[in-house]
Amino acid sequence: MTRQIKILTFLNFLILVFYNQTFAQHTTTKEILWTTDWSHNGKYIAIGGNVDTLNIYTEGNLKLYKSFPVKNTITRIKWHPLMNVVAVTTQMSDEKSFIFNLETNEKIELNGISSEGARGVDWNYTGEYLAIGDNNGQVLLFNTKGELIRKFFNEINYTKGITAIAWHPKKNILTTVTDKIRFIDLDGNLIKSIQHRPENVMLLSIAWHKSGDFFVTGDYGDEKDKSLLQYWNEQGELIKSIDISKGEYRNLAWNPKGDRLASASDALRIWDTKGNLISTGNSKDYLWGVSWNEKGNRIITSSMEQKIILWNKKAKRIITIE
């Protein structure tokens, strides 16, 4: 359903998000599960979306462990790399994005984010900094206590919403995606800006490889429903483009070993470091969230029609919750 409208003018980005959600809600009884993430120790899986709750499941049997009310849309979830602390971004909600400590049940609101909400979130490689990319084009840096360290716009006179943000795995350099790929330092200086394809197409996801030698992006697709998965080297030079998917690439995730990439789109696909397709897990609806466990032998996905699926590393289904 989200593929029926292609808006190439990014000043209308927030209108697109509102339309997609409203249209989906009026044509199905299911709600979108936007995002999922597996905790660093493999014990917990966090899932959120348009279901007005943040749900924490235990790994293995996918039993609900804790549930917390969060009005309207959770756009992304990211666990801290060392602690049982999860960062949550929201949009179209009176509730601010926040950090939640699973052990103490402490919830810390993140101040300074645009009232339009945010979709980009990532902890840096040491867990010292949390970066948020919001829907007004701001990049905000917080510490683990949720205190705002600094805030800057992604680019001078830049007003487009940031759809995803990622830290370099070994350096304190940020990469944001929306209409372009942008590299930014901790002071907000633009290092490089890259137009990822000739068409004016919105990017939705980014995943750095653990080596720091390259990263992968996924986009929304053009008017011909051609969505690109693209491999880039560390300098931002294009290595490979793949147009196999008919659905947008909502999220990407590397396994802990770094030899397999999982992509969420019209199917679950597993890729190697060269962009070769290894295996495919078919889905009747679009997959939005994707994450690996710490052993790299299980994958969790969330979908547009409120399905949660546990897969093995070869994209074979183990458990489905509808």
Side-chain angles (χ1 to χ4, degrees):
M1 285 180 291
T2 58
R3 310 297 294 178
Q4 292 180 356
I5 289 186
K6 294 294 181 183
I7 297 179
L8 304 181
T9 303
F10 291 97
L11 293 176
N12 292 326
F13 166 70
L14 294 176
I15 296 175
L16 172 63
V17 173
F18 175 79
Y19 182 91
N20 284 343
Q21 289 184 331
T22 303
F23 185 69
Q25 291 170 3
H26 282 79
T27 54
T28 178
T29 58
K30 299 291 186 178
E31 302 292 349
I32 301 171
L33 293 177
W34 280 58
T35 179
T36 184
D37 198 32
W38 217 309
S39 65
H40 69 96
N41 55 16
K43 292 183 178 180
Y44 306 109
I45 300 165
I47 295 179
N50 294 356
V51 293
D52 292 331
T53 55
L54 168 64
N55 289 323
I56 309 292
Y57 296 85
T58 53
E59 62 91 20
N61 55 14
L62 288 183
K63 287 187 176 180
L64 187 62
Y65 175 66
K66 289 186 178 182
S67 185
F68 307 94
V70 180
K71 294 179 182 178
N72 213 313
T73 303
I74 294 175
T75 55
R76 257 195 187 90
I77 296 168
K78 191 71 176 180
W79 287 96
H80 189 277
L82 302 173
M83 301 185 293
N84 286 328
V85 172
V86 63
V88 179
T89 52
T90 62
Q91 71 179 20
M92 299 176 67
S93 172
D94 292 334
E95 297 199 42
K96 297 179 180 179
S97 300
F98 60 91
I99 297 172
F100 182 78
N101 189 313
L102 193 62
E103 296 176 356
T104 65
N105 287 334
E106 181 184 15
K107 178 182 175 182
I108 304 172
E109 290 187 343
L110 301 175
N111 295 313
I113 296 172
S114 164
S115 60
E116 303 293 343
R119 294 179 66 177
V121 59
D122 197 23
W123 297 94
N124 75 331
Y125 65 102
T126 64
E128 181 182 3
Y129 299 118
L130 174 69
I132 301 289
D134 75 15
N135 289 343
N136 196 34
Q138 295 182 120
V139 176
L140 305 95
L141 299 183
F142 299 88
N143 61 23
T144 54
K145 297 179 180 179
E147 299 168 338
L148 182 62
I149 299 170
R150 63 180 61 94
K151 177 171 62 173
F152 45 82
F153 276 98
N154 199 358
E155 192 172 276
I156 297 174
N157 297 323
Y158 177 74
T159 58
K160 301 178 180 69
I162 296 169
T163 48
I165 192 168
W167 291 90
H168 188 285
K170 296 182 178 180
K171 304 174 184 177
N172 280 326
I173 294 175
L174 287 159
T175 312
T176 66
V177 296
T178 180
D179 61 328
K180 295 180 181 179
I181 304 167
R182 293 175 173 88
F183 295 84
I184 307 166
D185 67 21
L186 284 186
D187 294 319
N189 299 310
L190 181 66
I191 300 171
K192 182 178 288 188
S193 179
I194 303 166
Q195 181 73 37
H196 76 292
R197 58 190 289 184
E199 305 89 351
N200 193 16
V201 175
M202 182 169 64
L203 290 142
L204 291 176
S205 53
I206 178 171
W208 273 95
H209 187 261
K210 61 185 298 184
S211 66
D213 293 336
F214 66 98
F215 63 95
V216 183
T217 59
D219 71 27
Y220 190 81
D222 58 21
E223 69 278 0
K224 297 180 181 178
D225 287 351
K226 183 174 73 173
S227 302
L228 295 184
L229 187 75
Q230 295 179 301
Y231 281 61
W232 308 82
N233 67 17
E234 186 178 11
Q235 291 72 41
E237 299 166 335
L238 183 62
I239 301 171
K240 186 174 186 178
S241 285
I242 306 161
D243 65 356
I244 191 173
S245 177
K246 296 297 183 181
E248 65 268 22
Y249 288 97
R250 289 282 173 177
N251 281 286
L252 308 170
W254 286 100
N255 67 352
K257 188 177 178 180
D259 63 344
R260 293 292 183 266
L261 176 75
S263 64
S265 57
D266 60 338
L268 171 65
R269 293 185 176 90
I270 312 299
W271 313 82
D272 67 12
T273 57
K274 303 297 183 182
N276 299 309
L277 182 62
I278 303 301
S279 53
T280 301
N282 294 322
S283 176
K284 293 181 180 179
D285 68 320
Y286 285 173
L287 302 176
W288 282 44
V290 63
S291 184
W292 294 82
N293 69 348
E294 92 290 359
K295 295 179 181 179
N297 62 356
R298 295 288 185 269
I299 302 167
I300 194 77
T301 62
S302 59
S303 84
M304 186 175 179
E305 295 186 2
Q306 209 171 327
K307 293 185 182 71
I308 301 169
I309 305 174
L310 181 67
W311 314 73
N312 69 13
K313 64 181 181 180
K314 295 183 179 180
K316 302 297 183 182
R317 293 184 186 223
I318 300 173
I319 300 172
T320 301
I321 299 176
E322 299 188 31

